[in-house]
Amino acid sequence: MLNYISTKSALILLKRKIITQDELNIYIYGFNLFYSSIFTGFTIVLISSLFYNIFFGIIFIFFFALPRFFVGGYHASSFGKCFLITNLVFILMLFAVSYAELKIFTIFLYLFSLFFIFFLSKRTLDKILCHKFLLLQTFEQILCICFLLLGAAEYSFAAMESTIIMVFFIIIGRRKRHG
């Protein structure tokens, strides 16, 4: 279904002579990415609203999905698998936020994740992309601190857990590519 909608969208551009025949496959791929991202983001927000807190969904998207645009990571072999994995990971994160026993473990893994992010970005990203990525990460860390200072620890822990999961998927993706 997603490929059908993406193809139709690209064909509309071709028919209106906005793109050329040579660009058609690139635009189909681009529309696939666009529609899959929008659909997955929408379902994350929908799931979080079912749990009575849309802000958890926004935090997850901001701390999990956005950084992966910079550094990649594990990618499922199909949209269906990606959609399922992303939503399951989000639901697990929602449940993990409520367990007080995990807080110290979460902080430890979060600090390790920040250390990994810093050294990963310095070694694998070009200078401009690295600066943008580290700027995003700095902004995210400031948000985490603000959540804690404002007495919204559950948002801070949701952000930390999303970052940990993002780093986990980066590590899996890199191990898969390098054997």
Side-chain angles (χ1 to χ4, degrees), residues 104-120 160 163-164 167-168 171:
I104 296 297
F105 186 64
T106 299
I107 292 170
F108 173 75
L109 283 177
Y110 181 65
L111 293 174
F112 172 77
S113 297
L114 294 180
F115 181 76
F116 181 82
I117 287 168
F118 178 76
F119 285 104
L120 171 80
M160 288 182 206
T163 300
I164 293 165
V167 167
F168 178 74
I171 292 169

Side-chain angles (χ1 to χ4, degrees), residues 56 59-60 63 93 97 153-163:
F56 279 125
I59 288 171
F60 182 78
F63 284 80
M93 186 270 309
V97 166
E154 69 275 4
Y155 295 136
S156 187
F157 280 100
M160 288 182 206
E161 290 169 5
S162 298
T163 300

Side-chain angles (χ1 to χ4, degrees), residues 9-114:
S9 299
L11 287 172
I12 288 170
L13 295 178
L14 181 66
K15 183 178 176 182
R16 293 183 181 172
K17 297 187 191 288
I18 296 171
I19 63 171
T20 65
Q21 182 68 39
D22 293 339
E23 299 171 315
L24 184 64
N25 286 334
I26 294 168
Y27 276 82
I28 291 171
Y29 178 73
F31 277 120
N32 256 317
L33 288 176
F34 175 75
Y35 292 138
S36 65
S37 298
I38 293 297
F39 184 65
T40 302
F42 174 76
T43 57
I44 294 293
V45 171
L46 180 66
I47 290 168
S48 61
S49 69
L50 293 174
F51 284 92
Y52 304 106
N53 199 328
I54 292 175
F55 202 55
F56 279 125
I58 294 167
I59 288 171
F60 182 78
I61 291 167
F62 188 73
F63 284 80
F64 174 77
L66 192 59
R68 288 192 62 231
F69 281 115
F70 286 99
V71 290
Y74 172 75
H75 291 282
S77 58
S78 70
F79 168 69
K81 288 179 185 176
C82 176
F83 178 79
L84 184 65
I85 290 169
T86 303
N87 284 284
L88 285 175
V89 163
F90 174 65
I91 291 168
L92 289 173
M93 186 270 309
L94 282 176
F95 287 113
V97 166
S98 62
Y99 284 101
E101 301 84 29
L102 295 175
K103 301 298 186 215
I104 296 297
F105 186 64
T106 299
I107 292 170
F108 173 75
L109 283 177
Y110 181 65
L111 293 174
F112 172 77
S113 297
L114 294 180

